[in-house]
Amino acid sequence: MGYTLNFGAVWRNFDFLLHGLMLSLGLAVTSILIGAAIGLVLAFALISKNRFAVVPARLYVTVLRNLPILVLVLFAYFALPQMGFRLDKIKSFVLVLSVYSGAYLAEVFRAGLLSIPKGLTEAGLAIGLTSMQIRTSIIAPLMVRNVLPSLSSTVISLFKDTSLAAAIAVPELTFAARKINVESFRVIETWMITSALYVATCFLIAALLRFVERRLALPR
Amino acid sequence: MAKTILDIRGLRKTYGQHEVLKGVDCAVQEGEVIAIIGSSGSGKTTMLRCINMLEEFQGGTISLDGEEIGYHVEGTARRRKSEKEIARQRALTGMAFQQFNLFPHMTAAENVMLGLIKVKKMAKFEARAIAETWLDRVGLASRVDHYPGQLSGGQQQRVAIARAIAMAPRLMLFDEVTSALDPELVGEVLQVIKGLAADGMTMLLVTHEMRFAYEVSSRVIFMNQGVICEEGNPKEMFVRPKTERLAEFLKTSSFN
Ligand SMILES: Nc1ncnc2c1ncn2[C@@H]1O[C@H](COP(=O)(O)OP(=O)(O)OP(=O)(O)O)[C@@H](O)[C@H]1O
Ligand SMILES: [Mg+2]
Protein backbone atom coordinates (compact mmCIF):
# COMPACT_ATOMS: atom_id res chain seq x y z
CA MET A 1 0.00 0.00 0.00
CA GLY A 2 1.51 3.31 -1.02
CA TYR A 3 1.78 6.27 1.33
CA THR A 4 2.08 9.60 -0.42
CA LEU A 5 3.87 12.24 1.52
CA ASN A 6 1.73 15.30 1.99
CA PHE A 7 3.14 18.03 4.18
CA GLY A 8 0.16 20.36 3.77
CA ALA A 9 -1.41 19.56 7.12
CA VAL A 10 1.92 20.00 8.92
CA TRP A 11 2.69 23.34 7.23
CA ARG A 12 -0.78 24.62 8.08
CA ASN A 13 -0.01 23.82 11.71
CA PHE A 14 3.60 24.89 11.56
CA ASP A 15 2.94 27.89 13.81
CA PHE A 16 1.62 25.54 16.39
CA LEU A 17 4.82 23.46 16.20
CA LEU A 18 6.97 26.58 16.47
CA HIS A 19 5.04 27.67 19.53
CA GLY A 20 5.77 24.24 20.94
CA LEU A 21 9.45 24.64 20.13
CA MET A 22 9.54 28.05 21.81
CA LEU A 23 8.00 26.57 24.91
CA SER A 24 10.54 23.71 24.82
CA LEU A 25 13.34 26.26 24.65
CA GLY A 26 11.77 28.32 27.41
CA LEU A 27 11.53 25.28 29.66
CA ALA A 28 15.12 24.32 28.89
CA VAL A 29 16.62 27.78 29.39
CA THR A 30 14.78 28.43 32.65
CA SER A 31 15.55 25.01 34.06
CA ILE A 32 19.19 25.03 33.01
CA LEU A 33 19.75 28.47 34.53
CA ILE A 34 18.21 27.40 37.84
CA GLY A 35 20.03 24.07 37.52
CA ALA A 36 23.32 25.88 36.95
CA ALA A 37 22.89 27.77 40.22
CA ILE A 38 22.10 24.51 42.01
CA GLY A 39 24.98 22.76 40.25
CA LEU A 40 27.44 25.50 41.19
CA VAL A 41 26.59 25.28 44.88
CA LEU A 42 26.72 21.47 44.74
CA ALA A 43 30.05 21.49 42.90
CA PHE A 44 31.67 23.65 45.59
CA ALA A 45 30.16 21.35 48.21
CA LEU A 46 31.48 18.26 46.42
CA ILE A 47 35.07 19.51 46.43
CA SER A 48 34.96 20.93 49.96
CA LYS A 49 36.84 19.33 52.82
CA ASN A 50 33.80 19.58 55.07
CA ARG A 51 32.00 16.26 55.40
CA PHE A 52 28.73 18.01 56.18
CA ALA A 53 28.89 19.62 52.76
CA VAL A 54 30.21 16.66 50.78
CA VAL A 55 27.82 13.98 52.00
CA PRO A 56 24.50 15.70 51.26
CA ALA A 57 25.79 16.98 47.92
CA ARG A 58 27.02 13.53 46.90
CA LEU A 59 23.70 12.03 47.99
CA TYR A 60 21.72 14.55 45.93
CA VAL A 61 23.80 13.94 42.82
CA THR A 62 23.75 10.17 43.14
CA VAL A 63 20.04 9.86 43.77
CA LEU A 64 19.02 12.15 40.94
CA ARG A 65 21.39 10.63 38.43
CA ASN A 66 19.91 7.22 39.16
CA LEU A 67 16.29 8.23 38.63
CA PRO A 68 14.63 8.23 35.19
CA ILE A 69 13.52 11.77 34.57
CA LEU A 70 10.08 10.58 33.47
CA VAL A 71 9.54 9.14 36.94
CA LEU A 72 10.47 12.51 38.43
CA VAL A 73 8.12 14.33 36.08
CA LEU A 74 5.20 12.07 37.02
CA PHE A 75 6.12 12.16 40.68
CA ALA A 76 6.17 15.96 40.78
CA TYR A 77 2.94 16.31 38.87
CA PHE A 78 0.86 13.55 40.47
CA ALA A 79 2.41 12.76 43.83
CA LEU A 80 3.52 16.19 45.09
CA PRO A 81 -0.05 17.60 45.08
CA GLN A 82 -1.05 14.72 47.34
CA MET A 83 1.68 15.89 49.69
CA GLY A 84 0.35 19.43 49.64
CA PHE A 85 2.57 21.03 46.93
CA ARG A 86 0.28 22.07 44.14
CA LEU A 87 2.06 23.43 41.07
CA ASP A 88 0.77 23.97 37.57
CA LYS A 89 2.09 21.72 34.78
CA ILE A 90 4.77 24.09 33.58
CA LYS A 91 6.07 24.99 37.03
CA SER A 92 6.05 21.38 38.04
CA PHE A 93 8.12 20.43 35.00
CA VAL A 94 10.55 23.33 35.45
CA LEU A 95 11.03 22.27 39.05
CA VAL A 96 11.89 18.74 37.97
CA LEU A 97 14.20 19.68 35.14
CA SER A 98 15.99 22.29 37.31
CA VAL A 99 16.61 19.83 40.10
CA TYR A 100 17.69 17.22 37.60
CA SER A 101 20.00 19.58 35.65
CA GLY A 102 21.52 20.59 38.96
CA ALA A 103 22.77 17.04 39.50
CA TYR A 104 24.28 16.71 36.03
CA LEU A 105 25.77 20.20 35.96
CA ALA A 106 27.25 19.65 39.44
CA GLU A 107 29.41 16.85 38.06
CA VAL A 108 30.46 18.90 35.04
CA PHE A 109 31.30 21.91 37.23
CA ARG A 110 33.15 19.78 39.76
CA ALA A 111 35.49 18.54 37.05
CA GLY A 112 36.02 22.15 35.97
CA LEU A 113 36.88 23.21 39.51
CA LEU A 114 39.46 20.50 40.04
CA SER A 115 41.75 21.82 37.33
CA ILE A 116 42.01 25.33 38.81
CA PRO A 117 45.43 25.75 40.47
CA LYS A 118 45.30 26.08 44.26
CA GLY A 119 47.77 28.95 44.04
CA LEU A 120 45.03 31.24 42.72
CA THR A 121 42.94 30.70 45.82
CA GLU A 122 46.00 31.39 47.95
CA ALA A 123 46.78 34.55 46.01
CA GLY A 124 43.20 35.66 46.66
CA LEU A 125 43.45 34.86 50.35
CA ALA A 126 46.77 36.69 50.57
CA ILE A 127 45.23 39.97 49.41
CA GLY A 128 42.48 39.58 51.98
CA LEU A 129 39.58 38.23 49.93
CA THR A 130 37.10 35.98 51.71
CA SER A 131 36.48 32.44 50.46
CA MET A 132 33.16 33.55 49.01
CA GLN A 133 34.73 36.48 47.13
CA ILE A 134 37.36 34.11 45.75
CA ARG A 135 34.66 31.74 44.53
CA THR A 136 32.64 34.42 42.81
CA SER A 137 35.44 36.57 41.35
CA ILE A 138 38.11 34.01 40.56
CA ILE A 139 37.07 30.37 40.71
CA ALA A 140 33.63 30.46 39.10
CA PRO A 141 34.65 32.53 36.06
CA LEU A 142 37.60 30.24 35.41
CA MET A 143 35.52 27.12 35.97
CA VAL A 144 32.98 28.30 33.36
CA ARG A 145 35.79 28.67 30.82
CA ASN A 146 37.10 25.22 31.70
CA VAL A 147 33.77 23.48 31.23
CA LEU A 148 32.40 25.28 28.16
CA PRO A 149 33.94 22.82 25.68
CA SER A 150 32.33 19.88 27.43
CA LEU A 151 29.10 21.63 28.38
CA SER A 152 27.22 21.33 25.10
CA SER A 153 26.50 17.61 25.33
CA THR A 154 24.94 18.09 28.78
CA VAL A 155 22.95 21.14 27.72
CA ILE A 156 21.69 19.44 24.55
CA SER A 157 20.74 16.38 26.51
CA LEU A 158 18.77 18.53 28.96
CA PHE A 159 17.07 20.35 26.10
CA LYS A 160 15.96 17.02 24.64
CA ASP A 161 14.58 16.01 28.04
CA THR A 162 11.97 18.76 27.70
CA SER A 163 10.08 16.36 25.37
CA LEU A 164 9.12 14.41 28.49
CA ALA A 165 6.89 17.29 29.50
CA ALA A 166 4.49 15.90 26.90
CA ALA A 167 3.72 13.19 29.44
CA ILE A 168 1.90 15.73 31.60
CA ALA A 169 0.39 17.59 28.62
CA VAL A 170 2.67 20.63 28.63
CA PRO A 171 2.17 21.93 25.07
CA GLU A 172 5.86 21.86 24.10
CA LEU A 173 7.14 20.59 20.76
CA THR A 174 6.56 16.86 21.25
CA PHE A 175 3.09 17.40 22.64
CA ALA A 176 2.23 19.80 19.82
CA ALA A 177 3.44 17.24 17.27
CA ARG A 178 1.35 14.53 18.81
CA LYS A 179 -1.69 16.74 18.63
CA ILE A 180 -1.14 17.49 14.93
CA ASN A 181 -0.52 13.81 14.32
CA VAL A 182 -3.76 12.79 15.97
CA GLU A 183 -5.81 15.45 14.22
CA SER A 184 -4.34 15.12 10.72
CA PHE A 185 -3.21 11.48 10.57
CA ARG A 186 -0.06 12.67 8.74
CA VAL A 187 2.14 10.44 10.93
CA ILE A 188 5.36 10.37 8.93
CA GLU A 189 5.31 14.03 7.93
CA THR A 190 4.59 15.24 11.46
CA TRP A 191 7.37 13.29 13.09
CA MET A 192 9.84 14.02 10.30
CA ILE A 193 9.36 17.75 10.64
CA THR A 194 9.43 17.54 14.42
CA SER A 195 12.68 15.56 14.34
CA ALA A 196 14.17 18.11 11.98
CA LEU A 197 13.23 20.90 14.38
CA TYR A 198 14.90 19.12 17.32
CA VAL A 199 18.07 18.42 15.36
CA ALA A 200 18.29 21.98 14.01
CA THR A 201 17.79 23.43 17.49
CA CYS A 202 20.48 21.21 18.97
CA PHE A 203 22.89 22.39 16.27
CA LEU A 204 22.06 25.98 17.09
CA ILE A 205 22.66 25.39 20.79
CA ALA A 206 26.05 23.83 20.06
CA ALA A 207 26.97 26.72 17.76
CA LEU A 208 25.89 29.27 20.35
CA LEU A 209 27.99 27.62 23.04
CA ARG A 210 31.01 27.52 20.72
CA PHE A 211 30.51 31.22 20.10
CA VAL A 212 30.42 31.94 23.84
CA GLU A 213 33.49 29.79 24.31
CA ARG A 214 35.40 31.82 21.72
CA ARG A 215 34.23 35.09 23.22
CA LEU A 216 35.41 34.11 26.69
CA ALA A 217 38.71 32.56 25.56
CA LEU A 218 41.65 34.09 27.41
CA PRO A 219 43.88 36.21 25.17
CA ARG A 220 47.43 35.02 24.84
CA MET B 1 64.43 53.43 67.97
CA ALA B 2 62.75 51.27 65.35
CA LYS B 3 59.39 49.73 66.06
CA THR B 4 58.76 45.99 66.06
CA ILE B 5 56.34 45.09 63.29
CA LEU B 6 56.40 41.33 63.41
CA ASP B 7 57.02 39.22 66.47
CA ILE B 8 57.17 35.45 66.10
CA ARG B 9 57.50 33.43 69.30
CA GLY B 10 57.93 29.70 69.63
CA LEU B 11 56.28 29.01 66.28
CA ARG B 12 55.52 25.31 65.85
CA LYS B 13 53.96 23.67 62.85
CA THR B 14 53.35 20.00 62.18
CA TYR B 15 52.06 18.09 59.19
CA GLY B 16 50.59 14.99 60.78
CA GLN B 17 53.48 13.50 62.75
CA HIS B 18 56.10 15.51 60.95
CA GLU B 19 57.24 18.63 62.82
CA VAL B 20 58.29 21.17 60.24
CA LEU B 21 58.78 24.23 62.43
CA LYS B 22 60.19 23.43 65.83
CA GLY B 23 59.96 26.67 67.73
CA VAL B 24 60.92 29.68 65.64
CA ASP B 25 61.56 33.01 67.36
CA CYS B 26 62.03 36.11 65.30
CA ALA B 27 61.32 39.81 65.71
CA VAL B 28 61.29 42.12 62.73
CA GLN B 29 61.72 45.88 63.03
CA GLU B 30 60.07 48.38 60.74
CA GLY B 31 62.10 48.84 57.53
CA GLU B 32 64.16 45.70 57.91
CA VAL B 33 64.85 43.59 54.85
CA ILE B 34 65.38 40.03 55.97
CA ALA B 35 66.71 37.34 53.69
CA ILE B 36 65.74 33.83 54.73
CA ILE B 37 68.08 31.17 53.44
CA GLY B 38 68.45 27.48 54.10
CA SER B 39 68.42 24.15 52.38
CA SER B 40 65.36 22.60 50.79
CA GLY B 41 62.82 21.40 53.33
CA SER B 42 64.16 23.54 56.18
CA GLY B 43 60.76 25.25 56.62
CA LYS B 44 61.28 28.64 54.94
CA THR B 45 58.11 28.53 52.86
CA THR B 46 56.12 27.12 55.75
CA MET B 47 57.18 30.00 57.98
CA LEU B 48 56.04 32.62 55.45
CA ARG B 49 52.78 30.79 54.91
CA CYS B 50 52.08 30.75 58.65
CA ILE B 51 52.63 34.50 58.85
CA ASN B 52 49.94 34.96 56.21
CA MET B 53 47.71 32.25 57.73
CA LEU B 54 47.85 30.18 54.58
CA GLU B 55 48.81 27.40 56.97
CA GLU B 56 47.47 26.69 60.40
CA PHE B 57 50.08 26.38 63.12
CA GLN B 58 49.93 24.36 66.28
CA GLY B 59 52.05 26.32 68.70
CA GLY B 60 53.50 29.72 69.44
CA THR B 61 52.27 33.14 68.45
CA ILE B 62 52.75 35.50 65.56
CA SER B 63 51.90 39.12 66.14
CA LEU B 64 51.76 41.94 63.66
CA ASP B 65 51.85 45.45 65.11
CA GLY B 66 51.09 43.87 68.44
CA GLU B 67 47.98 42.08 67.19
CA GLU B 68 47.92 38.28 67.32
CA ILE B 69 47.57 36.67 63.91
CA GLY B 70 45.12 33.85 63.35
CA TYR B 71 44.33 32.75 66.87
CA HIS B 72 42.89 34.04 70.10
CA VAL B 73 45.09 32.76 72.87
CA GLU B 74 43.80 32.75 76.43
CA GLY B 75 46.03 30.87 78.82
CA THR B 76 46.40 27.43 77.28
CA ALA B 77 43.21 27.71 75.22
CA ARG B 78 43.61 28.70 71.60
CA ARG B 79 40.84 29.38 69.14
CA ARG B 80 41.03 30.22 65.44
CA LYS B 81 39.80 33.71 64.71
CA SER B 82 36.79 34.20 62.42
CA GLU B 83 37.30 33.97 58.67
CA LYS B 84 36.45 37.63 58.33
CA GLU B 85 39.00 38.63 60.94
CA ILE B 86 41.67 36.45 59.35
CA ALA B 87 40.92 37.91 55.91
CA ARG B 88 41.43 41.40 57.36
CA GLN B 89 44.72 40.33 58.93
CA ARG B 90 45.92 38.74 55.71
CA ALA B 91 45.42 42.02 53.90
CA LEU B 92 48.00 43.55 56.26
CA THR B 93 50.75 41.38 54.79
CA GLY B 94 51.42 41.09 51.08
CA MET B 95 52.74 37.94 49.52
CA ALA B 96 54.44 37.12 46.25
CA PHE B 97 54.71 33.50 45.18
CA GLN B 98 57.16 31.48 43.16
CA GLN B 99 54.43 30.68 40.61
CA PHE B 100 53.12 34.31 40.29
CA ASN B 101 49.53 33.13 40.69
CA LEU B 102 48.02 35.94 38.65
CA PHE B 103 44.30 35.66 37.94
CA PRO B 104 44.42 34.63 34.27
CA HIS B 105 41.01 36.04 33.32
CA MET B 106 41.91 39.54 34.46
CA THR B 107 44.21 42.11 32.92
CA ALA B 108 47.27 43.33 34.82
CA ALA B 109 45.30 46.33 36.06
CA GLU B 110 42.31 44.19 37.07
CA ASN B 111 44.58 41.86 39.01
CA VAL B 112 45.84 44.82 41.02
CA MET B 113 42.39 46.39 41.35
CA LEU B 114 40.57 43.33 42.66
CA GLY B 115 41.77 43.61 46.27
CA LEU B 116 41.41 47.39 46.27
CA ILE B 117 37.77 47.11 45.20
CA LYS B 118 36.70 44.01 47.14
CA VAL B 119 38.77 44.38 50.29
CA LYS B 120 39.45 48.11 50.55
CA LYS B 121 36.02 48.96 49.06
CA MET B 122 37.48 51.59 46.76
CA ALA B 123 35.62 52.99 43.79
CA LYS B 124 36.70 51.56 40.47
CA PHE B 125 38.33 54.74 39.17
CA GLU B 126 40.29 55.15 42.38
CA ALA B 127 41.51 51.54 42.24
CA ARG B 128 42.43 51.97 38.59
CA ALA B 129 44.55 55.02 39.40
CA ILE B 130 46.43 53.13 42.12
CA ALA B 131 46.89 50.11 39.84
CA GLU B 132 48.33 52.31 37.12
CA THR B 133 50.70 53.98 39.57
CA TRP B 134 52.07 50.69 40.84
CA LEU B 135 52.27 49.04 37.45
CA ASP B 136 54.21 52.06 36.31
CA ARG B 137 56.50 51.69 39.32
CA VAL B 138 57.33 48.10 38.35
CA GLY B 139 58.00 49.21 34.79
CA LEU B 140 54.79 47.94 33.21
CA ALA B 141 53.02 51.16 32.26
CA SER B 142 52.62 49.85 28.72
CA ARG B 143 51.22 46.48 29.83
CA VAL B 144 48.37 47.67 32.05
CA ASP B 145 45.63 46.13 29.90
CA HIS B 146 47.45 42.94 28.98
CA TYR B 147 46.32 39.56 30.24
CA PRO B 148 48.79 37.33 32.13
CA GLY B 149 48.93 34.99 29.14
CA GLN B 150 50.30 37.88 27.10
CA LEU B 151 53.14 38.66 29.52
CA SER B 152 56.56 37.13 30.08
CA GLY B 153 57.32 35.41 33.38
CA GLY B 154 59.27 38.40 34.64
CA GLN B 155 56.43 40.75 33.74
CA GLN B 156 53.88 38.49 35.41
CA GLN B 157 55.91 38.39 38.58
CA ARG B 158 56.16 42.18 38.58
CA VAL B 159 52.38 42.43 38.21
CA ALA B 160 52.04 40.00 41.12
CA ILE B 161 54.32 42.19 43.24
CA ALA B 162 52.35 45.30 42.24
CA ARG B 163 49.13 43.50 43.19
CA ALA B 164 50.47 42.78 46.67
CA ILE B 165 52.10 46.19 47.23
CA ALA B 166 49.06 48.15 46.03
CA MET B 167 47.20 46.92 49.12
CA ALA B 168 49.68 48.98 51.19
CA PRO B 169 50.67 46.07 53.41
CA ARG B 170 52.66 46.55 56.60
CA LEU B 171 54.94 43.72 55.59
CA MET B 172 55.83 41.98 52.33
CA LEU B 173 56.62 38.28 52.04
CA PHE B 174 58.49 36.97 49.01
CA ASP B 175 58.85 33.23 48.49
CA GLU B 176 61.54 32.47 45.92
CA VAL B 177 59.96 34.87 43.48
CA THR B 178 62.68 34.39 40.88
CA SER B 179 62.98 30.60 40.99
CA ALA B 180 60.48 29.94 38.21
CA LEU B 181 62.01 32.55 35.90
CA ASP B 182 64.39 32.21 33.00
CA PRO B 183 67.79 33.55 34.10
CA GLU B 184 67.59 36.61 31.85
CA LEU B 185 64.34 37.69 33.54
CA VAL B 186 65.57 37.43 37.14
CA GLY B 187 67.27 40.83 37.14
CA GLU B 188 64.15 42.88 36.38
CA VAL B 189 62.30 41.33 39.31
CA LEU B 190 65.20 41.75 41.75
CA GLN B 191 65.42 45.38 40.61
CA VAL B 192 61.81 45.93 41.67
CA ILE B 193 62.47 44.39 45.10
CA LYS B 194 65.54 46.59 45.54
CA GLY B 195 63.38 49.60 44.79
CA LEU B 196 60.91 48.58 47.49
CA ALA B 197 63.77 48.09 49.95
CA ALA B 198 64.98 51.59 49.17
CA ASP B 199 61.47 52.89 49.92
CA GLY B 200 61.73 51.43 53.40
CA MET B 201 59.29 48.55 52.91
CA THR B 202 59.61 45.88 55.57
CA MET B 203 60.27 42.60 53.79
CA LEU B 204 60.93 38.94 54.43
CA LEU B 205 62.40 37.26 51.42
CA VAL B 206 63.10 33.61 50.99
CA THR B 207 65.71 33.30 48.30
CA HIS B 208 68.29 31.06 46.75
CA GLU B 209 70.00 34.07 45.17
CA MET B 210 72.82 34.46 47.68
CA ARG B 211 74.40 37.39 45.87
CA PHE B 212 71.08 39.23 46.02
CA ALA B 213 70.55 38.33 49.69
CA TYR B 214 73.99 39.72 50.41
CA GLU B 215 73.33 42.98 48.58
CA VAL B 216 69.79 43.82 49.58
CA SER B 217 69.22 42.46 53.07
CA SER B 218 69.88 44.14 56.38
CA ARG B 219 69.76 40.80 58.16
CA VAL B 220 70.04 37.18 57.11
CA ILE B 221 68.27 34.28 58.76
CA PHE B 222 69.62 30.82 58.13
CA MET B 223 67.06 28.09 58.74
CA ASN B 224 67.91 24.50 59.27
CA GLN B 225 65.56 21.62 60.06
CA GLY B 226 62.74 23.80 61.32
CA VAL B 227 64.68 26.22 63.50
CA ILE B 228 66.65 29.39 62.99
CA CYS B 229 70.20 28.13 63.13
CA GLU B 230 72.09 31.36 62.67
CA GLU B 231 71.25 34.98 61.96
CA GLY B 232 73.07 38.24 61.55
CA ASN B 233 74.46 40.88 59.31
CA PRO B 234 75.00 39.58 55.75
CA LYS B 235 78.48 41.09 55.58
CA GLU B 236 79.43 39.00 58.59
CA MET B 237 77.48 35.83 57.96
CA PHE B 238 78.43 35.18 54.38
CA VAL B 239 82.09 35.85 55.06
CA ARG B 240 82.50 34.35 58.53
CA PRO B 241 79.74 31.82 59.25
CA LYS B 242 79.66 30.85 62.91
CA THR B 243 78.01 27.47 62.58
CA GLU B 244 79.30 24.43 60.75
CA ARG B 245 75.90 24.02 59.10
CA LEU B 246 75.90 27.47 57.55
CA ALA B 247 79.47 27.09 56.36
CA GLU B 248 78.48 23.86 54.66
CA PHE B 249 75.34 25.40 53.17
CA LEU B 250 77.27 28.34 51.76
CA LYS B 251 79.81 26.03 50.22
CA THR B 252 77.11 24.17 48.27
CA SER B 253 75.17 27.30 47.30
CA SER B 254 75.90 29.58 44.40
CA PHE B 255 77.41 32.43 46.47
CA ASN B 256 81.03 33.14 45.69
N1 LIG C 1 51.37 20.24 52.56
C1 LIG C 1 52.36 19.54 53.14
N2 LIG C 1 52.11 18.31 53.69
C2 LIG C 1 53.09 17.62 54.29
N3 LIG C 1 54.35 18.03 54.42
C3 LIG C 1 54.67 19.23 53.90
C4 LIG C 1 53.69 20.05 53.23
N4 LIG C 1 54.29 21.18 52.83
C5 LIG C 1 55.58 21.08 53.21
N5 LIG C 1 55.82 19.93 53.85
C6 LIG C 1 57.08 19.49 54.44
O1 LIG C 1 57.54 20.51 55.31
C7 LIG C 1 58.92 20.64 55.25
C8 LIG C 1 59.30 22.09 55.04
O2 LIG C 1 58.82 22.50 53.78
P1 LIG C 1 59.02 23.95 53.21
O3 LIG C 1 58.29 24.01 51.93
O4 LIG C 1 58.67 24.95 54.24
O5 LIG C 1 60.58 23.99 52.95
P2 LIG C 1 61.45 25.13 52.26
O6 LIG C 1 62.49 25.50 53.23
O7 LIG C 1 60.59 26.18 51.73
O8 LIG C 1 62.13 24.31 51.08
P3 LIG C 1 62.44 24.74 49.55
O9 LIG C 1 63.75 25.45 49.59
O10 LIG C 1 62.53 23.44 48.84
O11 LIG C 1 61.32 25.58 49.08
C9 LIG C 1 59.42 19.70 54.17
O12 LIG C 1 59.93 18.56 54.78
C10 LIG C 1 58.19 19.39 53.39
O13 LIG C 1 58.26 18.08 52.88
MG1 LIG D 1 60.05 26.82 49.77
Side-chain angles (χ1 to χ4, degrees):
Chain A
M1 223 182 77
Y3 183 109
T4 7
L5 288 180
N6 180 348
F7 288 95
V10 181
W11 292 138
R12 272 194 303 284
N13 290 300
F14 197 61
D15 266 7
F16 189 59
L17 278 185
L18 281 187
H19 270 110
L21 177 59
M22 289 306 138
L23 181 55
S24 295
L25 278 171
L27 293 172
V29 170
T30 315
S31 306
I32 289 171
L33 288 179
I34 301 173
I38 297 174
L40 192 62
V41 172
L42 286 173
F44 279 117
L46 287 172
I47 62 160
S48 107
K49 287 188 212 74
N50 183 345
R51 219 153 31 95
F52 296 102
V54 180
V55 173
R58 180 49 64 199
L59 191 71
Y60 178 107
V61 171
T62 310
V63 168
L64 278 153
R65 302 223 310 176
N66 287 296
L67 275 173
I69 183 167
L70 184 55
V71 170
L72 284 172
V73 171
L74 299 176
F75 184 91
Y77 191 57
F78 295 112
L80 282 188
Q82 303 291 325
M83 297 157 69
F85 300 101
R86 196 163 301 278
L87 289 174
D88 69 30
K89 285 185 270 206
I90 291 190
K91 289 206 186 92
S92 153
F93 184 79
V94 167
L95 170 71
V96 167
L97 193 57
S98 305
V99 164
Y100 185 78
S101 327
Y104 278 87
L105 293 171
E107 280 296 338
V108 175
F109 292 170
R110 189 185 70 94
L113 291 176
L114 289 180
S115 60
I116 296 173
K118 239 179 94 224
L120 298 185
T121 299
E122 295 185 343
L125 290 173
I127 53 176
L129 298 177
T130 62
S131 303
M132 197 46 82
Q133 288 172 325
I134 291 171
R135 286 189 195 119
T136 55
S137 308
I138 302 165
I139 309 292
L142 291 172
M143 181 279 285
V144 169
R145 287 171 173 84
N146 281 346
V147 302
L148 268 173
S150 62
L151 199 59
S152 59
S153 65
T154 307
V155 167
I156 286 172
S157 179
L158 292 168
F159 165 67
K160 289 187 299 181
D161 287 338
T162 57
S163 72
L164 292 163
I168 55 171
V170 174
E172 47 64 66
L173 180 53
T174 300
F175 186 82
R178 200 162 67 185
K179 192 146 184 264
I180 295 171
N181 176 16
V182 166
E183 285 168 8
S184 71
F185 301 107
R186 303 313 305 183
V187 185
I188 299 179
E189 294 85 340
T190 308
W191 294 110
M192 264 172 70
I193 299 293
T194 304
S195 303
L197 285 175
Y198 271 116
V199 171
T201 309
C202 290
F203 266 84
L204 280 177
I205 294 174
L208 181 71
L209 286 174
R210 267 198 308 278
F211 173 75
V212 174
E213 187 185 333
R214 272 199 305 276
R215 281 300 296 272
L216 291 181
L218 299 175
R220 52 180 53 256
Chain B
M1 186 59 207
K3 170 169 176 275
T4 301
I5 285 196
L6 181 73
D7 196 2
I8 302 177
R9 295 201 183 159
L11 177 63
R12 285 175 189 282
K13 159 83 192 164
T14 55
Y15 285 112
Q17 300 295 328
H18 182 36
E19 192 166 43
V20 174
L21 296 177
K22 304 171 183 170
V24 172
D25 296 287
C26 174
V28 179
Q29 313 300 313
E30 197 157 32
E32 269 195 295
V33 176
I34 298 187
I36 303 174
I37 61 173
S39 55
S40 184
S42 56
K44 308 180 296 293
T45 295
T46 307
M47 178 172 140
L48 290 198
R49 290 171 58 87
C50 287
I51 296 170
N52 213 0
M53 275 305 280
L54 292 177
E55 297 289 350
E56 316 236 308
F57 50 93
Q58 285 70 36
T61 56
I62 298 176
S63 39
L64 186 69
D65 285 326
E67 183 187 334
E68 293 202 338
I69 295 292
Y71 300 90
H72 290 290
V73 183
E74 285 152 27
T76 54
R78 173 166 197 282
R79 193 160 44 83
R80 199 174 198 271
K81 290 188 174 175
S82 71
E83 278 315 304
K84 215 175 145 205
E85 183 66 5
I86 289 176
R88 185 187 64 76
Q89 294 188 325
R90 282 192 183 114
L92 300 173
T93 56
M95 183 149 185
F97 304 84
Q98 188 173 337
Q99 298 300 334
F100 330 138
N101 294 337
L102 289 182
F103 309 130
H105 59 307
M106 297 182 186
T107 62
E110 288 165 349
N111 264 275
V112 180
M113 290 161 67
L114 184 66
L116 299 173
I117 293 171
K118 299 274 174 187
V119 178
K120 301 222 154 178
K121 310 291 178 205
M122 282 183 192
K124 216 170 162 180
F125 75 92
E126 213 182 335
R128 172 88 194 181
I130 293 177
E132 282 176 359
T133 307
W134 279 106
L135 288 169
D136 186 29
R137 263 295 304 276
V138 300
L140 293 173
S142 61
R143 297 286 186 276
V144 169
D145 295 317
H146 284 53
Y147 284 84
Q150 301 171 311
L151 300 172
S152 73
Q155 292 171 334
Q156 289 187 54
Q157 190 59 288
R158 286 185 279 153
V159 174
I161 293 172
R163 175 176 69 182
I165 288 285
M167 296 295 292
R170 292 286 290 143
L171 175 70
M172 266 301 296
L173 310 171
F174 294 85
D175 189 8
E176 290 189 39
V177 290
T178 58
S179 294
L181 296 177
D182 292 335
E184 73 272 17
L185 302 177
V186 168
E188 62 192 54
V189 173
L190 296 184
Q191 211 50 49
V192 165
I193 298 176
K194 273 187 187 161
L196 295 174
D199 286 357
M201 187 74 192
T202 313
M203 305 195 275
L204 259 56
L205 24 113
V206 171
T207 184
H208 284 307
E209 306 272 343
M210 294 305 146
R211 168 64 53 190
F212 178 68
Y214 180 83
E215 284 171 11
V216 79
S217 69
S218 52
R219 176 153 54 118
V220 177
I221 288 180
F222 171 60
M223 288 192 69
N224 188 50
Q225 298 187 354
V227 292
I228 293 177
C229 175
E230 185 173 340
E231 62 179 304
N233 182 315
K235 311 276 177 304
E236 287 283 318
M237 270 180 80
F238 283 111
V239 185
R240 274 183 297 281
K242 289 196 204 71
T243 59
E244 193 64 33
R245 292 237 171 267
L246 177 58
E248 240 165 70
F249 174 77
L250 290 177
K251 236 179 280 168
T252 55
S253 71
S254 55
F255 186 77
N256 45 33

